[in-house]
Amino acid sequence: MASDVDTAPLVGRAELLQTVRSAMLGDAAHGQTAAVFLTGESGVGKTRLLGEIGDQLRAQGAVVLTGSCLDIGDASPLHPLLQALRRFDADVSSTSHVRTSSAVRGLLQMFADETAGPDGAGALLERVSRGLHLIAEGRPLVLILDDLQWVDRSTRQLLLYLLAGLGDLQLSVLAAVRAESLQGAHPLRRVLTELRRLRTVRVLDLAPLGRTDTEKLAAAVVGRTLSAEAAEQVWQRSGGNPFVIEELARDLRDGRDGLSETLREIFLDRVDALPQHAHAVVHAVAAGVEPVQHWLLAQVLRLPEDELIDAARAAVAHRLLVGADDGYRLRHRLVAEVLAHELLPAERSGLHRRYAEALTAAPGELHQARLAHHWRLAGEPARALPATVAAAQEAERLHGYAEAHRHWSAALQLAADPGPLPVDRVELLENAAEAAHHCGEHARALALLEEVATLRGGEPSCALHIRRARYLAAAGRSALAEEEYQRALQAADCSPRDRAAAAARLAELLLHLGRYADAGQRAREALALAANVEGTATEVVLASSALGFSDAYLEDPDAGLAVMRDALDTAERAGQPEDVACAYLHLAELLTGPLNILEEGVVVARRGAERVTELGLGRTWGTRLLAVAINGLFRVGQWAEAEKVVAAALRHRPSGADAVELLLARCRLSVGYGDIEAAGRDLDAVATLLAGGGARHVIPLLTLRAGLAMWEGRHDVARLAVQRGLTESRSDDVTILSALVWHGLRAEAEAHASRTVAVDPTAVRRLRDVAERVARKSVGAARPVRSVVEGFLALCAAEVSRLDGSDPELWAASVTEWDRRHHPYPAAYSRLRQAEALLARRSRVATAGKLLREAYRVAQGLGAVPLTSEIRELAGRARVSLEERETTAGTRGVPVEASDDELAALTIREREVLALVAEGLTNKEIGQRLFISERTIGVHVSHIFDKLQVRTRVQASAIQLRNVRG
């Protein structure tokens, strides 16, 4: 079942292609007949595979005959062979293969003259064998047959004759069989059973595609990477069937809603072909919540056990159902969509009513979500509402907040007309808002909370202020959140418990904003209040995390870390998911940020992301933790690994402040790679999301914007971004402020060097004043914090020297600072500038060359294209070779190869990209497969060409294949 338009790439079948091709040619090469029978459901790609394998075998010199069986029984004997010969005759007639063409026409004439009766069948088969032998002329002969389920009796006899080795011909047979057609006493079942006994015959079941390949195929048809929601929908509806995937993807690409008539008719035909009871089974499972247990299906259909089993077996055999230990599932969820329109409304509601009644009457614990679903679709809102509320509460107990949010939203809809049941709508709204907040739907949570305030009327309570502040903070509106916490503390009904909660959460927010001293003060206040109130574990965890971070940053790192680890232990014992997440996040941020304990910080962040995902907070807190891991990996130079973490985090589809953290982390990579377009998109998105954001986000945003502008040569834009950042500097985080100052001084130095923009003396003076202020302020910070700040101040001093003759000693000091901290990128940048300063003074040229080569090696390993280009440009002007040359003592001056592996210079990510280049994929296709932008792939390909010293993709592919085979 192949589509006649938009031929899509063959996905997920590479291993199978190799297996079949080897079987076809391997056994035949040893003088044996060989056969491969591909079985599978309609649309799984059998015909496509036959064509692909046939083309490959022809390219390898085989004679390939291709035919299809017809659904007309024995009315046309040997039809597929005759069709194959006629097609082959048309092909060879246009070539110079005169003997082959003559042999083909001789065999066709033999069929036309054949009048032998039943007693002459053996003689006919022998003559056919001899005719095929003449056509082959010593070459491998392959007979490809499609739709073998409709094979006629004569062709079955010919296959058995040839594959049993009764003729004088060694050939290979490749055939496709529609599995759902082989039911009951189908004659081909007996043939396949006999053939399985032959050692050279293989029967391979062609399974549907897995989830990854499904997404890959759909993305190729649509022409872009699918959103997580669209990919999930295609996977659920298609069941991995390639034909269905392509049809759904085309509908998605062309903006068509609903289900195409092609798919509708295909599935209706398959359902209509079922026996009566099997037809009823499929309808019932389509209306149920999968998996549908056997006992439940029996209650709904009320069939005798033996008839139910026979009906289910037939539905499974026709590839419409999948039977497992836990019940029955539709092989394709599309079947449910198709059948939903085939039932009358009364039939549909009756099915759902029988499901609900059976579940209610069943012994043991009810599955409330199922019960709510069936009562609602049975048209019984009064009976659906309590089940829906119970389902939401059950989902929350299991930390399934997205599911809980769906159930609470459904309960709100049902409560609009509750009938005789009393309903507290305010309580429903509060529960729905909290679930929305936990699953990352922050705007929805705020909207629901506003409805609560409206229904209650009057002055908002302290508790309502606290809840609104939490949601605002999660949505990235930090300034408004801080105001709400202040209102909560000033509210007339603020109890000691509420005051402790407001103070603890305000401390956590201030920490997030980088105001560590204020956060520590609020945290101490919260801990003092919590000491006099029972049941304040959450407040203790939040306040302890904030206090530990504040102390570690400003005073004693060891003591602060100990407090934060204790807070994490307390959170784990209390078991509140959000407390656990908060404790993990702040610990990971402290380790990867101010304290510069990067490796441990990355481990904590990734471990924390796994833990909070288990607790149902993967989309929110899990995303933030992965963003922390990305930043840590960026600093230690593991950019390829950081890209993989970005791809994993994006699958959470974050929003609000969670999305801000991730976008900033991804933007750092894009700026480093020189992917200007991707970095610009991320920065614009962050600027949009940061309405009311604090310095903690705004300063990194402006720092990245300045860095991007400098790579674009827009030094005046970089200057404006930095100057704006200096006005947003209400933060105790001298680390991010020192990075901003460095970018400002670098922008002035770049302007001076390029002579495209005049240096602004006022801006330089202000930046130097801020640098001095940062230096003074950092004296009061903990030693690890001062250490990182000192690194940035070293860069600042060296950049200032570029305005009046760059000082190589200052750059050497910067190299030392960053090497000591194991930050490869600023160290490589400093080596570039040190070499530049030495070459400008025409001194120590050999040292400058060594520095350039070291910087070049690091920059290439990272994939830092702009930095690599600048190093290469300086080396070209100075006539410095960037290639490492090693000599032995006995052969002075003769280069020695450092490695036999031609790919040794490539990073892990570059090797992945090269492997896909060798597969023939375009940059766009590679980007879709690796979840990277097309521009970034272009950057990687450029690096690969440079390192392998090639100019074309063909040359690079040849090196890849040579090394893989080697």
Side-chain angles (χ1 to χ4, degrees), residues 736-766:
I736 61 173
L737 189 56
S738 61
L740 178 72
V741 174
W742 166 46
H743 276 68
L745 290 170
R746 179 182 159 200
E748 299 300 332
E750 295 289 349
H752 174 72
S754 66
R755 292 180 170 79
T756 56
V757 178
V759 174
D760 185 343
T762 303
V764 173
R765 195 160 47 249
R766 184 183 182 192

Side-chain angles (χ1 to χ4, degrees), residues 569-617:
D569 292 340
T570 302
E572 289 283 15
R573 286 195 301 272
Q576 290 298 318
E578 198 167 11
D579 298 348
V580 174
C582 181
Y584 262 116
L585 177 66
H586 293 319
L587 178 58
E589 285 179 330
L590 182 65
L591 291 169
T592 59
L595 299 190
N596 200 43
I597 310 175
L598 297 174
E599 288 79 5
E600 183 183 352
V602 170
V603 170
V604 170
R606 299 181 85 163
R607 185 190 302 139
E610 292 176 4
R611 178 73 178 108
V612 301
T613 299
E614 293 171 2
L615 297 174
L617 300 177

Side-chain angles (χ1 to χ4, degrees), residues 306-330:
D306 55 347
E307 292 183 22
L308 178 60
I309 289 177
D310 287 344
R313 187 185 299 279
V316 171
H318 279 76
R319 301 295 180 103
L320 287 167
L321 285 191
V322 176
D325 291 341
D326 59 350
Y328 300 104
R329 291 178 174 83
L330 293 173

Side-chain angles (χ1 to χ4, degrees), residues 174-411:
L174 175 62
V177 186
R178 192 175 295 179
E180 62 265 29
S181 299
L182 300 180
Q183 305 303 320
H186 196 292
L188 189 58
R189 291 185 66 184
R190 296 194 299 273
V191 173
L192 290 178
T193 301
E194 290 296 323
L195 291 175
R196 282 178 187 270
R197 300 175 182 175
L198 301 177
R199 188 179 62 81
T200 57
V201 173
R202 301 187 190 185
V203 180
L204 304 177
D205 187 51
L206 191 57
L209 298 178
R211 180 167 188 149
T212 301
D213 288 328
T214 294
E215 187 172 343
K216 198 178 300 180
L217 176 57
V221 174
V222 174
R224 65 178 186 276
T225 301
L226 272 62
S227 67
E229 184 178 357
E232 174 70 14
Q233 189 177 41
V234 170
W235 165 246
Q236 292 296 339
R237 297 174 78 195
S238 70
N241 184 289
F243 176 79
V244 180
I245 295 167
E246 292 179 31
E247 288 293 314
L248 293 173
R250 289 188 186 97
D251 288 344
L252 187 65
R253 180 194 65 194
D254 299 336
R256 290 193 293 268
D257 294 329
L259 192 63
S260 71
E261 285 303 313
T262 301
L263 288 176
R264 187 182 303 281
E265 291 302 321
I266 286 170
F267 283 111
L268 278 178
D269 286 345
R270 290 179 61 183
V271 174
D272 290 343
L274 292 169
Q276 180 183 357
H277 290 329
H279 192 279
V281 165
V282 172
H283 270 283
V285 173
V289 177
E290 297 180 349
V292 177
Q293 297 92 335
H294 185 79
W295 69 265
L296 182 57
L297 192 62
Q299 291 289 323
V300 171
L301 292 178
R302 300 164 187 169
L303 287 174
E305 180 69 7
D306 55 347
E307 292 183 22
L308 178 60
I309 289 177
D310 287 344
R313 187 185 299 279
V316 171
H318 279 76
R319 301 295 180 103
L320 287 167
L321 285 191
V322 176
D325 291 341
D326 59 350
Y328 300 104
R329 291 178 174 83
L330 293 173
R331 187 176 285 272
H332 308 282
R333 285 304 304 167
L334 278 178
V335 175
E337 295 182 43
V338 171
L339 297 184
H341 300 284
E342 298 303 308
L343 293 176
L344 294 172
E347 290 179 299
R348 267 199 309 276
S349 62
L351 263 177
H352 288 293
R353 182 180 298 279
R354 291 201 296 274
Y355 266 116
E357 290 170 347
L359 287 167
T360 303
E365 184 179 353
L366 288 176
H367 195 299
Q368 298 291 353
R370 285 189 174 196
L371 194 60
H373 170 78
H374 290 301
W375 278 130
R376 181 170 56 83
L377 293 180
E380 295 279 0
R383 303 180 76 171
L385 180 56
T388 303
V389 170
Q393 292 168 341
E394 181 183 11
E396 286 181 337
R397 284 195 300 271
L398 298 174
H399 309 305
Y401 296 110
E403 184 180 355
H405 177 224
R406 288 195 298 271
H407 290 312
W408 286 121
S409 297

